[in-house]
Amino acid sequence: MDTQIVTQHQDGLADLHRIFDLQHSVTRGGIAPTLQARKSRLEKLRQMLVANEAAFVAAISSDFGNRSADETRMLEIGLVLNGIRCARKGLTHWMRPEKRHVDVAFQPAKAWVRHEPLGVVGIISPWNYPLFLSLGPLVDVIAAGNRAMIKPSELTPRFSDLLARTIADTFSEDEIRVVTGGVEVAQAFSELPFDHLVFTGSTGVGRKVMLAAAANLTPVTLELGGKSPAIVCDDVDVAKVAKSVAFGKFLNAGQTCIAPDYALVPSSKVEAFGKAVIAAVGKFYPTLSGNGDYTSIISDRHYSRLVGAVDEARAAGATVLSARDDGVAAVRKVAPTVVIGAPENGVLMREEIFGPVLPVIGYDSLDEALAFINRRDRPLALYAFSHQRETLEKIVDGAISGGVTLNGTLLHAAQDGMAFGGVGPSGIGGYHGRDGFIRFSHARSVLKIGFINVFEKLGPPWGGLARTVSKILARRR
């Protein structure tokens, strides 16, 4: 390796540790940011986003090859701005100490819980929604009074460089910093002794991040992925539901961690559903290759994997329906595709797809569909379509997932009033809004003894009064 490159790499890692040490030392000063300081940082973040909106949209589109500008504004910038509004509105209430009950045996006393900053929080964000998944958790981290370091994906270099510059222009080094670089920087980042570490990405990389964090006993929030199913019940209109599933599946060309990964459809309606999905695609995206609304696949490697997975299923006898458009390969786009009868041991049914390919699987009973889901790792999201309340309740009760949207897709993740997160292999912990404030805070319990401490009066030496009190406590119901 060239000596200059080695030196630059070493300097970059040294800077990483320098920034962490600076932020860490500030958080150990014993003074938590005030309500006004937190609101001020949130406002500065809002102004930064608004002032640089066009630049962020252009940078992300350039990194993808083509990324829908409206999707970036709506699904990234808009959601972050909503999160900022929610935090600024709720902070006064969230920061108030919470009174807690004191049992009669410990009276007179008062008890409360203070939600205090953890310290320095690391955020490792992915490429698919690079802005939202960098700044979304940052909003909650700021609201909770923490300092932050962000490591965005190396697959979106233009966005990452822009974010680093705008953050540096907006915040001081001891508040927030962005560090850029490749896999080695990400590894070194995850090995820092953060007070909390947030990672969004694949399950495989998530395991490595958690392992690195464990060396420092750093608590983690992992937002991973998995194969999120959509269950289509027998009582719904196939065409209407197909449109809804297609909407959630093909936004960002399927490169969404909570996109419907596959659809479970009554066996008699599988073909009709597949054709209805392709028909909906024709209305959403009349053309593909030259259509700015339809996003490209992030890299040649990801593109080849998707094409290979469809070819594998076709060779195994699956029926492939596709919205054809000449020239898509030249702009690294994969046409929206439905695969009926994909082999269970193939890539499409074995791995998270993360692209515009939808396997459709037939089932003969709802119990069979639920069993199909439960044989696999618990997904990040679950979608169900039915007009029957009892049916929807059976689905929610019968299959565990990180979150659920009923009679729609994706939208549970956009609610700042609810935590978003996975379960098991699809993630650990959740955040958004007040739940994010709590996630990135330490709930510190405080007990203030009253004018007399009963327990100190009991002994030692322990005597008859102590034994009497013990018997009373043991008999209480």
Side-chain angles (χ1 to χ4, degrees):
M1 184 180 292
D2 186 271
T3 304
Q4 184 178 2
I5 295 175
V6 172
T7 302
Q8 290 174 343
H9 175 67
Q10 291 173 340
D11 290 345
L13 294 182
D15 199 45
L16 180 72
H17 286 274
R18 181 188 62 79
I19 295 169
F20 174 81
D21 290 341
L22 174 62
Q23 293 193 1
H24 183 268
S25 65
V26 172
T27 63
R28 268 49 181 179
I31 302 176
T34 64
L35 170 66
Q36 287 309 120
R38 301 181 198 197
K39 286 188 173 183
S40 175
R41 288 173 185 165
L42 290 170
E43 176 59 19
K44 288 197 293 184
L45 183 62
R46 187 194 70 80
Q47 291 178 3
M48 183 199 84
L49 267 177
V50 171
N52 294 280
E53 176 182 316
F56 279 124
V57 169
I60 293 173
S61 182
S62 182
D63 282 332
F64 272 80
N66 176 72
R67 167 73 177 282
S68 169
D70 288 317
E71 289 181 10
T72 297
R73 293 189 186 98
M74 178 176 59
L75 303 178
E76 301 218 58
I77 296 172
L79 290 182
V80 174
L81 292 175
N82 277 342
I84 292 172
R85 279 190 287 270
C86 175
R88 284 175 57 84
K89 182 178 179 181
L91 256 181
T92 301
H93 175 68
W94 300 347
M95 289 178 65
R96 287 177 186 152
E98 298 177 4
K99 292 182 179 180
R100 296 297 172 89
H101 172 73
V102 178
D103 193 88
V104 66
F106 305 100
Q107 296 286 4
K110 294 180 179 180
W112 64 93
V113 171
R114 294 162 49 99
H115 285 98
E116 300 181 347
L118 294 172
V120 185
V121 178
I123 301 170
I124 303 177
S125 58
W127 54 264
N128 61 322
Y129 289 93
L131 188 145
F132 175 56
L133 294 173
S134 295
L135 301 187
L138 179 64
V139 170
D140 297 339
V141 168
I142 292 173
N146 300 289
R147 315 287 165 142
M149 295 174 65
I150 304 171
K151 168 59 180 76
S153 172
E154 65 275 10
L155 291 181
T156 52
R158 296 169 184 84
F159 163 77
S160 298
D161 288 344
L162 176 60
L163 182 66
R165 291 196 306 272
T166 54
I167 287 289
D169 290 342
T170 307
F171 297 96
S172 63
E173 269 195 331
D174 64 3
E175 291 177 314
I176 305 165
R177 268 300 177 268
V178 174
V179 294
T180 61
V183 175
E184 289 183 349
V185 174
Q187 182 176 346
F189 189 95
S190 64
E191 292 171 353
L192 291 172
F194 289 111
D195 297 294
H196 198 101
L197 182 59
V198 184
F199 169 79
T200 306
S202 71
T203 302
V205 177
R207 288 191 176 97
K208 296 178 181 179
V209 170
M210 190 173 184
L211 184 63
N216 298 306
L217 296 180
T218 297
V220 295
T221 295
L222 302 180
E223 299 300 348
L224 307 176
K227 300 188 72 62
S228 298
I231 302 180
V232 181
C233 295
D234 202 32
D235 64 311
V236 297
D237 179 84
V238 165
K240 183 177 179 180
V241 172
K243 182 178 179 181
S244 184
V245 172
F247 176 84
K249 178 64 176 179
F250 301 120
L251 284 180
N252 204 33
Q255 297 166 112
T256 304
C257 61
I258 56 170
D261 194 88
Y262 62 95
L264 290 162
V265 180
S267 296
S268 62
K269 298 183 178 181
V270 165
E271 184 176 351
F273 179 81
K275 290 180 179 178
V277 169
I278 297 301
V281 166
K283 295 179 180 178
F284 291 154
Y285 312 105
T287 61
L288 298 175
S289 58
N291 189 342
D293 284 340
Y294 191 64
T295 298
S296 298
I297 303 303
I298 187 66
S299 72
D300 292 337
R301 179 174 64 86
H302 289 78
Y303 175 87
S304 297
R305 173 184 169 274
L306 290 167
V307 172
V310 174
D311 288 343
E312 177 192 54
R314 184 185 287 109
T319 299
V320 177
L321 308 176
S322 183
R324 305 306 304 171
D325 189 337
D326 292 338
V328 288
V331 287
R332 209 168 57 237
K333 293 182 178 181
V334 172
T337 301
V338 170
V339 179
I340 299 172
E344 280 209 40
N345 61 349
V347 171
L348 292 179
M349 293 310 301
R350 205 174 60 239
E351 302 175 6
E352 183 179 10
I353 294 170
F354 226 69
V357 181
L358 179 70
V360 178
I361 299 153
Y363 70 86
D364 295 322
S365 71
L366 189 55
D367 288 335
E368 179 188 339
L370 293 173
F372 186 92
I373 295 170
N374 289 328
R375 287 198 299 270
R376 287 155 176 78
D377 289 339
R378 289 171 173 174
L380 182 56
L382 171 68
Y383 306 111
F385 296 85
S386 175
H387 299 308
Q388 304 297 322
R389 185 182 66 183
E390 295 81 3
T391 300
L392 294 175
E393 288 178 352
K394 180 175 181 177
I395 292 171
V396 174
D397 289 343
I400 294 176
S401 66
V404 183
T405 295
L406 301 177
N407 294 325
T409 60
L410 308 184
L411 295 183
H412 67 281
Q415 310 308 307
D416 288 306
M418 301 193 301
F420 170 74
V423 56
S426 63
I428 296 173
Y431 62 93
H432 282 193
R434 184 175 185 274
D435 293 287
F437 170 84
I438 292 172
R439 183 71 179 167
F440 302 123
S441 298
H442 168 57
R444 190 179 186 190
S445 299
V446 182
L447 180 71
K448 182 180 180 182
I449 304 300
F451 64 88
I452 184 172
N453 189 325
V454 175
F455 269 76
E456 290 182 1
K457 295 294 183 182
L458 295 179
W462 306 108
L465 180 58
R467 286 188 287 274
T468 299
V469 171
S470 296
K471 290 178 182 178
I472 293 173
L473 292 175
R475 286 200 304 267
R476 291 182 63 208
R477 295 182 180 178

